[in-house]
Coordinates of all heavy atoms in Angstrom, one line a residue:
V27 N 56.9 -0.1 190.9 CA 55.6 -0.4 190.3 C 55.8 -1.4 189.1 O 54.9 -2.2 188.8 CB 54.8 0.8 189.8 CG1 54.5 1.7 191.0 CG2 55.6 1.6 188.7
V28 N 57.0 -1.4 188.5 CA 57.2 -2.4 187.4 C 57.3 -3.8 188.0 O 56.7 -4.7 187.5 CB 58.5 -2.0 186.6 CG1 59.1 -3.2 185.9 CG2 58.3 -0.9 185.6
Q29 N 57.9 -3.9 189.2 CA 58.0 -5.2 189.8 C 56.6 -5.7 190.2 O 56.4 -6.9 190.2 CB 58.7 -5.0 191.2 CG 60.1 -5.5 191.1 CD 60.8 -5.6 192.5 OE1 60.1 -5.8 193.5 NE2 62.1 -5.3 192.5
R30 N 55.6 -4.8 190.3 CA 54.3 -5.2 190.7 C 53.3 -5.3 189.5 O 52.1 -5.3 189.6 CB 53.7 -4.2 191.7 CG 54.4 -4.2 193.0 CD 53.7 -3.5 194.1 NE 54.6 -3.1 195.2 CZ 54.1 -2.8 196.4 NH1 52.8 -2.9 196.7 NH2 55.0 -2.5 197.3
G31 N 54.0 -5.2 188.3 CA 53.2 -5.4 187.0 C 52.5 -4.2 186.5 O 51.7 -4.3 185.6
A32 N 52.9 -3.0 186.9 CA 52.3 -1.8 186.4 C 53.3 -1.1 185.4 O 54.4 -1.6 185.2 CB 52.1 -0.8 187.5
R33 N 52.7 -0.1 184.6 CA 53.5 0.5 183.6 C 53.7 2.0 183.9 O 52.7 2.7 183.9 CB 52.8 0.4 182.2 CG 52.7 -1.0 181.7 CD 51.7 -1.2 180.6 NE 50.4 -0.9 181.1 CZ 49.3 -0.9 180.3 NH1 49.4 -0.9 179.0 NH2 48.1 -0.7 180.8
P34 N 54.9 2.4 184.3 CA 55.1 3.8 184.7 C 55.4 4.7 183.5 O 56.0 4.3 182.5 CB 56.4 3.7 185.5 CG 57.1 2.5 185.1 CD 56.1 1.6 184.5
V35 N 54.9 5.9 183.6 CA 55.2 7.0 182.7 C 56.2 7.9 183.4 O 55.9 8.4 184.5 CB 54.0 7.9 182.3 CG1 54.3 9.0 181.3 CG2 52.9 7.0 181.8
L36 N 57.4 8.0 182.9 CA 58.6 8.6 183.6 C 58.7 10.0 183.2 O 59.0 10.3 182.0 CB 59.8 7.8 183.3 CG 59.8 6.3 183.4 CD1 61.1 5.6 182.8 CD2 59.6 5.9 184.8
V37 N 58.5 10.9 184.1 CA 58.5 12.4 183.8 C 59.6 13.1 184.6 O 59.6 12.9 185.8 CB 57.1 13.0 184.1 CG1 57.1 14.5 183.9 CG2 56.0 12.4 183.2
A38 N 60.4 13.8 183.9 CA 61.4 14.7 184.5 C 62.1 15.5 183.4 O 61.8 15.3 182.2 CB 62.5 13.9 185.3
R39 N 63.1 16.4 183.8 CA 63.7 17.2 182.8 C 64.9 16.5 182.1 O 65.2 16.7 181.0 CB 64.2 18.5 183.4 CG 63.1 19.4 183.9 CD 63.6 20.5 184.8 NE 64.3 20.0 186.0 CZ 64.9 20.7 186.9 NH1 64.9 22.0 186.8 NH2 65.4 20.1 188.0
R40 N 65.6 15.6 182.9 CA 66.9 15.0 182.4 C 66.5 13.8 181.5 O 66.4 12.7 182.1 CB 67.8 14.7 183.5 CG 68.5 15.9 184.1 CD 69.2 15.6 185.4 NE 68.3 15.2 186.5 CZ 68.8 14.7 187.7 NH1 70.1 14.7 187.9 NH2 67.9 14.4 188.6
S41 N 66.5 14.0 180.2 CA 66.0 12.9 179.3 C 66.9 11.7 179.3 O 66.4 10.6 179.3 CB 66.1 13.4 177.8 OG 65.7 14.7 177.7
E42 N 68.3 11.9 179.4 CA 69.2 10.7 179.3 C 68.9 9.8 180.5 O 68.9 8.6 180.4 CB 70.7 11.1 179.4 CG 71.0 12.4 178.7 CD 70.6 13.6 179.6 OE1 71.1 13.6 180.8 OE2 69.8 14.5 179.2
R43 N 68.6 10.4 181.7 CA 68.4 9.6 182.9 C 67.1 8.8 182.7 O 67.0 7.6 183.1 CB 68.1 10.5 184.1 CG 69.3 11.3 184.5 CD 70.2 10.4 185.4 NE 71.0 11.2 186.2 CZ 70.9 11.3 187.6 NH1 70.0 10.7 188.2 NH2 71.7 12.1 188.2
L44 N 66.1 9.4 182.1 CA 64.8 8.7 181.9 C 65.0 7.6 180.9 O 64.4 6.5 181.1 CB 63.7 9.7 181.4 CG 63.4 10.8 182.3 CD1 62.3 11.7 181.7 CD2 62.9 10.3 183.7
E45 N 65.7 7.8 179.8 CA 66.0 6.8 178.8 C 66.7 5.6 179.4 O 66.4 4.5 179.2 CB 66.8 7.4 177.6 CG 66.1 8.5 176.9 CD 65.0 8.1 176.0 OE1 64.8 6.9 175.8 OE2 64.2 8.9 175.6
E46 N 67.7 5.9 180.2 CA 68.5 4.9 180.9 C 67.6 4.1 181.8 O 67.7 2.8 181.8 CB 69.6 5.6 181.7 CG 70.8 4.7 182.1 CD 71.8 5.5 182.9 OE1 72.1 6.7 182.4 OE2 72.2 5.1 183.9
L47 N 66.8 4.7 182.6 CA 65.9 4.0 183.5 C 64.9 3.1 182.7 O 64.6 2.0 183.1 CB 65.2 5.0 184.4 CG 64.1 4.4 185.4 CD1 64.8 3.5 186.4 CD2 63.4 5.6 186.2
S48 N 64.4 3.7 181.7 CA 63.4 3.0 180.9 C 64.1 1.7 180.3 O 63.4 0.6 180.3 CB 62.9 3.9 179.7 OG 61.9 3.2 179.0
R49 N 65.3 1.8 179.8 CA 66.0 0.6 179.3 C 66.2 -0.4 180.5 O 66.0 -1.6 180.3 CB 67.4 1.0 178.8 CG 67.3 1.5 177.3 CD 68.7 1.6 176.7 NE 69.6 2.5 177.4 CZ 69.6 3.8 177.1 NH1 68.9 4.3 176.2 NH2 70.5 4.6 177.8
E50 N 66.6 0.1 181.6 CA 66.8 -0.8 182.8 C 65.5 -1.6 183.1 O 65.4 -2.8 183.3 CB 67.2 0.0 184.0 CG 67.4 -0.8 185.3 CD 67.3 0.0 186.5 OE1 67.9 1.1 186.6 OE2 66.6 -0.4 187.5
L51 N 64.3 -0.8 183.1 CA 63.0 -1.4 183.4 C 62.6 -2.5 182.3 O 62.1 -3.5 182.6 CB 62.0 -0.3 183.5 CG 62.2 0.7 184.6 CD1 61.2 1.8 184.6 CD2 62.1 0.0 186.0
E52 N 63.0 -2.1 181.1 CA 62.7 -3.1 180.0 C 63.5 -4.4 180.1 O 62.9 -5.4 179.9 CB 63.0 -2.4 178.6 CG 62.4 -3.1 177.5 CD 62.7 -2.4 176.2 OE1 62.8 -1.1 176.2 OE2 62.8 -3.1 175.1
N53 N 64.8 -4.2 180.6 CA 65.6 -5.4 180.8 C 65.0 -6.3 181.9 O 65.2 -7.5 182.0 CB 67.0 -5.0 181.1 CG 67.7 -4.5 179.9 OD1 67.3 -4.8 178.8 ND2 68.7 -3.7 180.1
A54 N 64.3 -5.6 182.8 CA 63.6 -6.3 183.9 C 62.2 -6.8 183.6 O 61.5 -7.3 184.4 CB 63.5 -5.4 185.2
G55 N 61.9 -6.7 182.3 CA 60.6 -7.2 181.8 C 59.5 -6.2 181.9 O 58.3 -6.6 181.7
G56 N 59.8 -4.9 182.1 CA 58.7 -4.0 182.3 C 58.6 -3.0 181.2 O 59.6 -2.7 180.5
K57 N 57.4 -2.5 181.0 CA 57.1 -1.5 179.9 C 57.1 -0.1 180.6 O 56.4 0.0 181.7 CB 55.8 -1.7 179.3 CG 55.8 -2.6 178.1 CD 54.7 -2.3 177.1 CE 54.7 -3.1 175.9 NZ 54.3 -4.5 176.1
S58 N 57.7 0.9 180.0 CA 57.6 2.3 180.6 C 57.6 3.3 179.5 O 58.0 2.9 178.3 CB 58.7 2.5 181.6 OG 59.9 2.5 180.9
L59 N 57.2 4.5 179.8 CA 57.2 5.5 178.8 C 58.0 6.8 179.3 O 57.5 7.4 180.2 CB 55.8 5.9 178.4 CG 55.6 7.1 177.4 CD1 56.2 6.7 176.0 CD2 54.1 7.5 177.3
P60 N 59.2 7.0 178.8 CA 59.9 8.2 179.3 C 59.5 9.4 178.6 O 59.4 9.4 177.3 CB 61.4 7.9 179.0 CG 61.4 6.8 177.9 CD 60.0 6.2 177.8
V61 N 59.1 10.5 179.3 CA 58.7 11.7 178.6 C 59.5 12.9 179.3 O 59.3 13.2 180.5 CB 57.2 12.0 178.7 CG1 56.8 13.1 177.8 CG2 56.4 10.8 178.4
T62 N 60.3 13.6 178.5 CA 61.0 14.8 179.0 C 60.0 15.9 179.3 O 59.2 16.2 178.4 CB 62.0 15.3 178.0 OG1 62.8 14.1 177.6 CG2 62.9 16.3 178.6
C63 N 60.0 16.5 180.5 CA 59.0 17.5 180.8 C 59.5 18.3 182.0 O 60.0 17.8 183.0 CB 57.7 16.8 181.1 SG 56.6 17.7 182.1
D64 N 59.3 19.6 181.9 CA 59.6 20.5 183.0 C 58.2 20.9 183.5 O 57.4 21.6 182.8 CB 60.4 21.7 182.5 CG 60.8 22.7 183.6 OD1 60.1 22.7 184.7 OD2 61.8 23.4 183.5
I65 N 57.9 20.5 184.7 CA 56.5 20.8 185.2 C 56.2 22.3 185.5 O 55.1 22.7 185.7 CB 56.2 20.0 186.5 CG1 57.2 20.3 187.6 CG2 56.1 18.5 186.3 CD1 56.7 19.9 189.0
R66 N 57.3 23.1 185.4 CA 57.1 24.6 185.6 C 56.6 25.2 184.3 O 56.1 26.3 184.3 CB 58.4 25.3 185.9 CG 59.0 24.8 187.3 CD 60.4 25.3 187.4 NE 61.2 24.9 186.4 CZ 62.5 25.2 186.2 NH1 63.1 25.9 187.1 NH2 63.2 24.7 185.2
K67 N 56.7 24.5 183.2 CA 56.4 25.1 181.9 C 55.1 24.8 181.3 O 54.8 23.6 181.2 CB 57.5 24.8 180.9 CG 58.9 25.3 181.3 CD 59.9 25.3 180.2 CE 61.2 25.9 180.7 NZ 62.4 25.2 180.1
E68 N 54.3 25.8 181.0 CA 53.0 25.6 180.5 C 53.0 24.6 179.3 O 53.8 24.7 178.4 CB 52.6 27.0 179.9 CG 51.2 27.2 179.4 CD 50.2 27.5 180.6 OE1 50.6 28.4 181.4 OE2 49.2 26.9 180.7
G69 N 52.1 23.7 179.4 CA 51.9 22.8 178.2 C 52.8 21.5 178.3 O 52.5 20.6 177.5
E70 N 53.8 21.5 179.1 CA 54.7 20.3 179.0 C 54.1 19.1 179.7 O 54.2 18.0 179.2 CB 56.1 20.7 179.6 CG 56.8 21.8 178.8 CD 58.3 21.6 178.8 OE1 58.9 20.8 179.5 OE2 58.9 22.4 178.1
I71 N 53.5 19.2 180.9 CA 53.0 18.1 181.5 C 51.7 17.6 180.7 O 51.5 16.4 180.6 CB 52.7 18.3 183.0 CG1 52.2 17.0 183.7 CG2 51.6 19.4 183.2 CD1 53.2 16.0 184.0
E72 N 51.0 18.6 180.1 CA 49.9 18.2 179.3 C 50.3 17.3 178.1 O 49.6 16.4 177.8 CB 49.2 19.5 178.8 CG 48.5 20.3 179.8 CD 49.4 21.2 180.7 OE1 50.6 21.2 180.4 OE2 48.9 22.0 181.5
R73 N 51.5 17.7 177.6 CA 52.0 16.9 176.5 C 52.4 15.5 176.9 O 52.1 14.5 176.3 CB 53.3 17.6 175.9 CG 53.7 17.1 174.5 CD 54.9 17.9 174.0 NE 55.8 18.3 175.0 CZ 56.8 17.5 175.5 NH1 56.9 16.3 175.0 NH2 57.6 18.0 176.4
A74 N 53.0 15.4 178.1 CA 53.3 14.1 178.7 C 52.1 13.2 178.9 O 52.1 12.0 178.7 CB 54.1 14.3 180.0
V75 N 51.0 13.9 179.4 CA 49.8 13.2 179.7 C 49.2 12.7 178.4 O 48.7 11.5 178.3 CB 48.8 14.1 180.5 CG1 47.4 13.5 180.5 CG2 49.4 14.4 181.9
G76 N 49.3 13.5 177.3 CA 48.8 13.1 176.0 C 49.5 11.9 175.5 O 48.9 11.0 175.0
A77 N 50.8 11.9 175.7 CA 51.6 10.7 175.2 C 51.2 9.5 176.0 O 51.1 8.4 175.4 CB 53.1 11.0 175.4
A78 N 51.0 9.6 177.3 CA 50.6 8.5 178.1 C 49.2 7.9 177.6 O 49.1 6.7 177.5 CB 50.4 8.9 179.6
R79 N 48.3 8.8 177.3 CA 47.0 8.3 176.8 C 47.2 7.6 175.5 O 46.6 6.5 175.2 CB 46.1 9.5 176.5 CG 45.5 10.1 177.8 CD 44.5 11.2 177.4 NE 44.3 12.1 178.6 CZ 44.4 13.4 178.6 NH1 44.7 14.1 177.5 NH2 44.2 14.1 179.7

Side-chain angles (χ1 to χ4, degrees):
V27 300
V28 158
Q29 259 190 31
R30 300 191 195 203
R33 294 165 293 173
V35 180
L36 313 170
V37 173
R39 294 167 300 178
R40 289 171 294 177
S41 321
E42 330 74 57
R43 294 277 202 113
L44 297 181
E45 298 289 347
E46 198 180 312
L47 177 60
S48 183
R49 276 194 298 274
E50 177 200 318
L51 298 174
E52 197 177 327
N53 290 336
K57 271 207 177 72
S58 64
L59 176 65
V61 193
T62 311
C63 154
D64 186 333
I65 57 164
R66 296 169 303 180
K67 298 195 177 146
E68 188 86 44
E70 296 212 354
I71 187 72
E72 290 80 359
R73 193 174 40 80
V75 170
R79 283 186 201 129

